Amino acid sequence: RAVAAATRPLLGFQAVPASVADTIVVPPGYQAEVLIAWGDALFPDAPAFAQNNDARAQARQFGDNNDGMSFFPLGPDRALLAVNNEYTNYEYLFADGGKALSAGAVAKAQAAHGVSLVELVRKDGKWQANPKGALNRRITATTPMTLSGPAAGHALLKTQADPEGRTALGTFNNCANGQTPWGTYLTCEENFNGYFGSEGKPALDKRAARYGLAAEDAGFGWHKFDERFDLAKHPQEPHRFGWVVEIDPQDPASTPKKRTALGRFKHENAAFTVNKDGRAVVYLGDDERGEHIYRFVSKNKVAPGNDPANRDLLDEGTLYVARFDAREGELKGTGQWLPLVHGQHGLTRENGFADQGEVLIFAREAATRLGATTMDRPEWVAVHPHRSEVYCTLTNNKNRGIKENQPLDGANPRAENPYGQIIRWRPMGDDHGSDSFEWDLFLLAGNPSVHKEGLMAGSANIHPDNMFNSPDGIGFDEAGRLWIQTDGDYSNEKQFAGMGNNQMLCADPASGEVRRFLTGPVACEITGLTFSPDWRTMFVGVQHPGEEGAPSHFPDGGTAIPRSAVLRITRNDGGIIGA
Ligand code: FEO
Ligand code: CA
Ligand code: CA
Ligand code: CA
């Protein structure tokens, strides 16, 4: 029996076809059910979901557009799920589509953002949300947080409301996540720039532009009703966003901490691993065309369990950025981690970096000075559970080969890359603290039906039955299956013909096989994944079904407006997901 188990293929489920249906499809023998959706009650006093719920109601309900999430066991049948609420779609948040914004409407939008912490109970073998859970909590765009680490208290972080530069209000555009072995949750601030704007003429320098800050916001209108978001009045407020925030989910009264040692950029996720020497290593993507991949290595070692010594471990250490050097004519090569340390390699006062705080606050600019490789939008990073391998999705990049700072190279080999790829590296000596690594491309997404040859057809492991575009969320299970989620073009036309709606696939890192596991409803993105400790329940996020007015009524059906939701996926025979 042991021999049979050892030779059983890693992927044990039947592939599902591409789909354009407004529903979830999973393999035969599997079930996908809604665990919790935007607007569901998180507290006994929360009203039932209704589109006209106000800010107060929203602050007591599950937030919108769920993204990365982590499962925290509290006992055999009790757990806590921490879920990011990245942003909100005004077309569904408000009955008028957000046409007549008001202070109350902006307050509701702010309450729809952040993080939702919800207790789960297992009843009749199934995990369910518990709206009476003592640890349930909403963290929103206005929740007080501590700025900690090397940039805390920096002159660049000070504002009128916070002359100490140590207390920021809220977190928003929380994309993906991470989880520490000491039981805390890491939530990553991504496109924070889109919430700032001004009716006036803000003074925006090159540094602000590098982070996409502009007088015109992304359409949220917060600056019109909440002065904090007006760039002309509070030009330093955006410096307090773009961080990784650490949350203690076991203490609903705790103050989240923004860990400035991990750098300021458009954080995607925080892939945590303990190195063989005991130090914490966190791999980080910066999702923007032509931005970079980073690594943080802690100064001190991780103490076992929930030791108070770990509490501020992420405040001290070194942040690095990656350079990928391709072997001539190949899609593989070697690489280096370049340290973002003040005083080294030109990160000096003469070059605009007064101290380590300034290096971290303008990490992108520091990375450019070190010669970091510009990548095709680094999204999630995942560390293999048993092998010294790290995977990162490079989702797509229309600027590749077009912008001068984004030439074709072995790691980013396709002009105007519409499909994306997954890069993989192996640290030298199996040491995640080593400054050198070897890398290759695990896969190139592509369309072999449309492109009969060349790199746009995708790598050899992509075929008409498993093709997809724009890999984004990734994560491993304990057996080493690599789960891949997509946030791509769902037109199902032209160069995306045959790919259907956004989806989730599963890959065998050893053989390279990729198999489609799930397809999502109309105009959604599939993002966020975590497992119960027995690997028999998988939680998967469906974000923004029906965006931009696309015809979705997921998950409620009928004529209901669409809602983002977390799915609970189980096997009818109670088996391990994917096996
Ligand atoms: Fe929020 Fe880069 O995805
Ligand atoms: Ca993403
Ligand atoms: Ca994406
Ligand atoms: Ca998203």
Side-chain angles (χ1 to χ4, degrees), residues 65-67 86-87 175 190 268 472 487 525 527 543-544:
N65 279 2
N66 48 270
D67 206 307
E86 188 181 32
Y87 68 108
C175 190
E190 192 189 16
E268 185 73 18
D472 187 339
D487 171 24
E525 153 186 358
T527 186
Q543 194 192 54
H544 64 66

Side-chain angles (χ1 to χ4, degrees), residues 92-116:
Y92 298 120
L93 186 71
F94 304 117
D96 73 348
K99 284 190 195 80
L101 274 190
S102 61
V106 165
K108 181 181 180 184
Q110 291 177 342
H113 283 71
V115 180
S116 297

Side-chain angles (χ1 to χ4, degrees), residues 455-521:
L455 295 181
M456 289 296 186
S459 44
N461 49 354
I462 300 301
H463 47 77
D465 292 329
N466 71 1
M467 59 187 178
F468 62 94
N469 73 90
S470 304
D472 187 339
I474 48 169
F476 280 100
D477 61 26
E478 183 189 43
R481 279 176 285 265
L482 179 64
W483 297 89
I484 304 167
Q485 303 178 316
T486 74
D487 171 24
D489 188 302
Y490 44 75
S491 64
N492 204 35
E493 287 179 353
K494 299 178 184 158
Q495 58 187 339
F496 305 105
M499 294 177 172
N501 293 348
N502 276 306
Q503 55 195 271
M504 183 160 67
L505 308 103
C506 187
D508 178 341
S511 69
E513 182 186 0
V514 180
R515 204 180 282 184
R516 189 181 292 116
F517 177 80
L518 173 152
T519 55

Side-chain angles (χ1 to χ4, degrees), residues 365-394:
E365 188 189 335
T368 297
R369 183 159 277 283
L370 294 179
T373 303
T374 61
M375 308 301 286
D376 286 349
R377 295 187 55 195
E379 298 236 40
W380 294 45
V381 190
V383 183
H384 194 288
H386 311 302
R387 302 212 299 249
S388 300
E389 284 178 359
V390 190
Y391 292 67
C392 177
T393 47
L394 301 169

Side-chain angles (χ1 to χ4, degrees), residues 153-220:
H154 198 282
L156 288 161
L157 297 186
K158 293 178 179 174
T159 62
Q160 276 169 36
D162 174 29
E164 300 292 319
R166 292 181 184 275
T167 307
L169 292 183
T171 186
F172 41 84
N173 218 272
N174 302 80
C175 190
N177 63 308
Q179 192 170 14
T180 69
W182 55 89
T184 59
Y185 183 65
L186 303 174
T187 182
C188 303
E189 297 176 341
E190 192 189 16
N191 296 304
F192 63 89
N193 58 305
Y195 298 83
F196 295 92
S198 186
E199 306 288 273
K201 282 213 163 67
L204 294 164
D205 59 11
K206 262 174 72 179
R207 283 181 153 175
R210 178 75 184 260
Y211 286 87
L213 291 160
E216 193 173 341
D217 74 350
F220 292 106

